[in-house]
Amino acid sequence: MSLLVVGLSHRSAPVSVLERAALSLDAQIKLLQDTVAAEPTAEAAVLATCNRIELYADVDKFHAGVAELSTLLAQHSGVGLDEITPYLYVHYEDRAVHHLFSVACGLDSMVVGEGQILGQIKDALARAQELNTAGRLLNDLFQQSLRVGKRAHSETGIDRAGQSLVTFGLEQFTTGADVEGWARGKRAVVIGAGSMSSLAAATLARAGVREIVIANRTPDRAERLAQILTEQGETDVLARAVPMESVPAELTRADVVVSCTGATGLVLTAEMVAAAVRGRVPEGAPAGPESRTDTRGDVRPVLPPTSIGSDDDCPLDLPAAQGGGFSVLGEAAVAGMDAATLEQHAAWVDNATVDRRAKSRTPERETPRTPAADAELIAALVAAVAVTGRITELRRPEPVVEVPRPAPVLALLDLAMPRDIDAAAHRLAGVRLVDIESLAEVSADAPMASDVDLVRRIVSDEVAAFGDAQRAAHITPTVVALRAMAADVVASEIARLEGRLPGLDDKHRGEINQTVRRVVDKLLHAPTVRVKQLAAEPGGAGYADALRTLFDLDQETVAAVSRAEDSDQQAAGDKYFEADAENRGRS
C-alpha cells in the first residue's frame, strides 16, 4: 500500500473554484466513506479548510488511485471533473509526506507560519478515526505531522514569518498601525462559533475591543464561546451571544465584523450592510458601481472629467498623463503610427472630419493611400514638431476635483469559503471589506523570513525519518511472525522431549527449555536486526517478502500481527487526543 494525496488549494486554484468546491461536514463524511469503499483504497482522511481541500489515502495502485480520488473529489464538491482537474495536484509517497509536513508547519498557508492549520489537521484525523477510515499509515502520518508542526513553531521563529489569518486580515484595516491600537474600544460582531471564529473572537478580545457579540446558528455554541471569553480573565471584554436573526440590528452598532461559517449561501448581503451604515456616513458620499479600488484598497469614485474638451470619437487610444490630460510628444508619438492615423487625429482636433478608412479620394474612384503620400505627411508632422516642440494637444491638463471618501465606519473581515459576505459591500461608502481573495493578493508578495529555511530543513529531516520508520514498521509483523513460529517450534520440541524422557525432574526440564530457547534467539537475533536495518533503507520493502519466503511464513499469521498492531495504534491515537484535550483543559 502507498500514500497518495489529491487536492487543490489557494496555490493551485482561483478563489472562485475553491469557493464552489468547499465541502460541508456532511460532504466530508460521505467522501471519506465512499473513498474507503473504493477498490484501490484502504484508508482515507480529508483535510478541508477555507483555502484547501485535500484527500489523503492509502492506495494499492497509483494510477487507479489518482483517477478514483479525483472523481470522488469532483462528485462531492459539486464541481465537474473536467473543470476541477486542471487545478488538482497529486503527491505520492515521500512527496505526499513532505507536503503534509509543510502544511502542518505553515509553509503552504496563505499567511506563512500561521498556526491554526495544526488544529485543522487534528480535526481531520479525529474525524477519520471516528469513522474508522484511518489505519496505521494515516494515523502515523497525521500524528507525526502534528509533532513536526509543533517542533517547527518551538524551535524556529516561523511565527515571525507571518501571522494567523485573523491577525493578518485585521491588519488590513489598520493602515500601518498595530491591531491593538486600532481595535481598542470598538464593538465587534463575530458570526460563527467554529475554530476560525473562536480564534477571531479571542484575537479581538486580546486586542482590546469593548464588546463582542457572537452569532451562530447553534445557540449553545455561541453561548459557550461567549462564556469562555468572559471567564478567561485575561481581558475585560463584554461578550454575549445572540441568535442569527439579531445580526442586522447588531450591525448598526458594530465597528468590525468577522464572519466564518459553513453556510453555502451569503450570510450578509449588500443590502443588509447598507442598512447597517445608513445614517453613519454623510449623505451623497461617493460609492456605488461607478467606483474603483485604489492601491490601498479604498474605494474611490470615478468622476467625470472637469477640463475642457471631450474624448468622444477620438481616433487614437492615447495614454492618460498625470494631471488629467494627455499629450502626444516627440518622436515617440509618431513611432509605429501610420501617417493617415496621425492626419485623422489632427483633423479631429481641428473639428474636421476624416474618413477612418484613410483612403485618398478622386472624383472617379477611391484608391488606397500610397507610401509616397504617407512620407509627405510624416515629413510635415516632423517639421511641425521642430517648430512647436510637440504635436498639437487634444486639451490642456486641468486638475480633477475628487470628492473625499469618508473613513470606513464598518470593517468587514470575511474568512469563509465560500464567502459569507456579499462582495458588492465593498462599493458602499463607509464600508471596508477584506476577504480570502484580497488576503491572497496582499500576502502573495509578503517577505519570507530566514526562519522559513530552518523549517524546510526540519521538514526534510522529518520526512526522511518518517520514511525510515515506515519501512522498518513494514517488516515488523513479519519479524514478529517469525519469532512466534520459532517459539511454537521450541514448544513442540520440548513437549516431544518430555514424552521421550518422562523421568526428567523440574530442574533439568527447565535447563533444557532455557537452553533451546536461547539457541533459537541467538540464531534469529542477527538476521532480524539486520533485516530491520535493511528495510529502513530506500527499496528495503522487499526484505519482508524475502523473509516470508525463506522461512515459509504463513501470510495470514503476518496479517493477524499487523491487524493487532493497527488496533494498538488506534488505542495510542485515542490516548494522544485524550491527553491533548486534558492539556488544553488545564491551560
Side-chain angles (χ1 to χ4, degrees):
M1 304 298 283
S2 302
L3 177 64
L4 175 67
V5 56
V6 177
L8 67 162
S9 73
H10 63 283
R11 295 188 181 276
S12 68
V15 172
S16 58
V17 174
L18 280 173
E19 202 171 37
R20 293 167 51 213
L23 297 172
S24 65
L25 179 58
D26 290 342
Q28 294 178 44
I29 292 173
K30 191 66 169 64
L31 174 58
L32 285 173
Q33 293 170 338
D34 289 352
T35 301
V36 294
E39 179 182 350
T41 309
E43 305 177 34
V46 173
L47 179 58
T49 73
C50 60
N51 52 29
R52 77 176 63 250
I53 303 166
E54 295 176 344
L55 180 55
Y56 291 78
D58 187 7
V59 299
D60 59 2
K61 299 174 183 176
F62 173 73
H63 294 290
V66 171
E68 189 68 36
L69 266 59
S70 301
T71 301
L72 288 170
L73 270 178
Q75 289 176 352
H76 290 278
S77 68
V79 180
L81 182 60
D82 291 343
E83 184 178 359
I84 200 173
T85 296
Y87 304 112
L88 294 177
Y89 47 77
V90 175
H91 298 298
Y92 189 58
E93 292 286 45
D94 285 352
R95 290 300 308 170
V97 177
H98 189 281
H99 175 73
L100 182 58
F101 286 4
S102 297
V103 169
C105 293
L107 292 180
D108 197 60
S109 296
M110 187 177 295
V111 180
V112 174
E114 62 95 8
Q116 188 188 0
I117 187 64
L118 288 174
Q120 294 163 333
I121 292 174
K122 188 178 299 180
D123 291 343
L125 176 56
R127 188 172 301 112
Q129 289 179 333
E130 181 181 352
L131 296 171
N132 295 317
T133 64
R136 176 212 294 271
L137 177 59
L138 293 186
N139 269 298
D140 286 350
L141 175 68
F142 275 68
Q143 289 181 21
Q144 187 61 24
S145 72
L146 294 173
R147 298 186 187 100
V148 174
K150 292 176 181 177
R151 180 189 169 192
H153 284 281
S154 63
E155 296 183 11
T156 74
I158 187 65
D159 294 325
R160 295 192 298 266
Q163 305 81 24
S164 73
L165 199 59
V166 173
T167 304
F168 190 70
L170 292 175
E171 285 183 348
Q172 307 312 305
F173 301 118
T174 65
T175 61
D178 57 76
V179 173
E180 288 75 12
W182 171 82
R184 188 170 296 112
K186 284 182 166 58
R187 290 188 176 94
V189 172
V190 175
I191 305 176
S195 57
M196 180 73 82
S197 298
S198 300
L199 177 61
T203 302
L204 288 167
R206 288 194 300 268
V209 295
R210 183 196 327 172
E211 180 184 23
I212 297 180
V213 175
I214 311 294
N216 192 57
R217 296 192 184 280
T218 306
D220 291 345
R221 297 188 67 180
E223 292 281 359
R224 176 60 180 158
L225 178 55
Q227 182 182 4
I228 291 173
L229 292 172
T230 302
E231 296 177 353
Q232 63 184 356
E234 299 177 3
T235 67
D236 297 326
V237 67
L238 172 62
R240 56 189 175 90
V242 299
M244 289 293 290
E245 295 75 21
S246 300
V247 167
E250 296 294 341
L251 290 181
T252 63
R253 304 171 58 249
D255 302 301
V256 55
V257 177
V258 180
S259 186
C260 186
T261 73
T264 55
L266 292 176
V267 175
L268 296 182
T269 64
E271 290 75 16
M272 295 170 63
V273 177
V277 298
R278 190 171 295 128
R280 300 167 66 182
V281 293
E283 290 292 335
E290 296 300 317
S291 60
R292 59 179 172 82
T293 303
D294 63 30
T295 56
R296 296 173 301 177
D298 293 332
V299 179
R300 299 187 178 277
V302 177
L303 301 178
T306 58
S307 55
I308 300 173
S310 170
D311 292 345
D312 294 342
D313 301 322
C314 177
L316 300 183
D317 183 16
L318 301 174
Q322 292 182 352
F326 55 83
S327 302
V328 184
L329 306 178
E331 294 181 355
V334 298
M337 293 186 183
D338 63 278
T341 304
L342 289 173
E343 179 193 33
Q344 185 171 349
H345 173 252
W348 173 74
V349 172
D350 293 334
N351 294 322
T353 57
V354 178
D355 192 341
R356 284 300 305 265
R357 291 174 297 181
K359 295 179 179 180
S360 325
R361 297 179 179 273
T362 64
E364 296 78 18
R365 69 173 192 265
E366 294 182 351
T367 57
R369 184 175 297 280
T370 63
D374 283 349
E376 292 178 2
L377 287 171
I378 292 174
L381 285 169
V382 171
V385 170
V387 176
T388 64
R390 63 183 181 181
I391 297 175
T392 308
E393 290 182 339
L394 167 63
R395 64 188 182 198
R396 294 181 180 275
E398 294 184 12
V400 175
V401 178
E402 290 194 5
V403 179
R405 180 175 172 82
V409 297
L410 184 60
L412 304 174
L413 179 57
D414 186 357
L415 299 177
M417 184 66 69
R419 70 179 76 241
D420 278 347
I421 304 175
D422 191 344
H426 85 281
R427 298 175 178 173
L428 299 172
V431 175
R432 176 76 191 281
L433 171 62
V434 172
D435 56 18
I436 290 293
E437 189 167 13
S438 59
L439 283 178
E441 295 174 355
V442 172
S443 63
D445 298 326
M448 301 287 283
S450 59
D451 297 282
V452 170
D453 292 333
L454 296 178
V455 175
R456 286 175 175 157
R457 285 197 287 271
I458 288 175
V459 168
S460 296
D461 293 343
E462 291 285 355
V463 169
F466 183 83
D468 293 345
Q470 287 298 307
R471 285 185 286 269
H474 180 71
I475 205 170
T476 297
T478 302
V479 172
V480 172
L482 173 60
R483 289 190 173 276
M485 184 191 73
D488 290 342
V489 171
V490 170
S492 176
E493 290 302 316
I494 292 296
R496 190 170 67 85
L497 182 61
E498 288 180 348
R500 290 185 176 184
L501 302 173
L504 282 176
D505 56 30
D506 291 342
K507 179 180 179 182
H508 289 94
R509 184 182 296 107
E511 287 291 339
I512 293 172
N513 195 337
Q514 185 177 6
T515 299
V516 174
R517 292 183 184 281
R518 188 181 298 118
V519 169
V520 172
D521 286 342
K522 287 186 175 181
L523 287 174
L524 291 180
H525 175 72
T528 54
V529 170
R530 183 57 180 153
V531 79
K532 285 185 177 181
Q533 294 173 344
L534 293 171
E537 299 175 358
Y543 288 100
D545 296 333
L547 204 61
R548 287 193 296 269
T549 301
L550 288 172
F551 288 92
D552 194 23
L553 295 177
D554 180 34
Q555 182 63 42
E556 181 55 34
T557 302
V558 176
V561 173
S562 182
R563 287 193 295 269
E565 290 191 349
D566 286 345
S567 178
D568 293 341
Q569 181 69 31
Q570 178 69 43
D574 294 341
K575 290 181 180 178
Y576 175 87
F577 283 101
E578 289 171 3
D580 184 74
E582 182 178 353
N583 291 334
R584 290 201 307 270
R586 289 173 182 169
S587 63

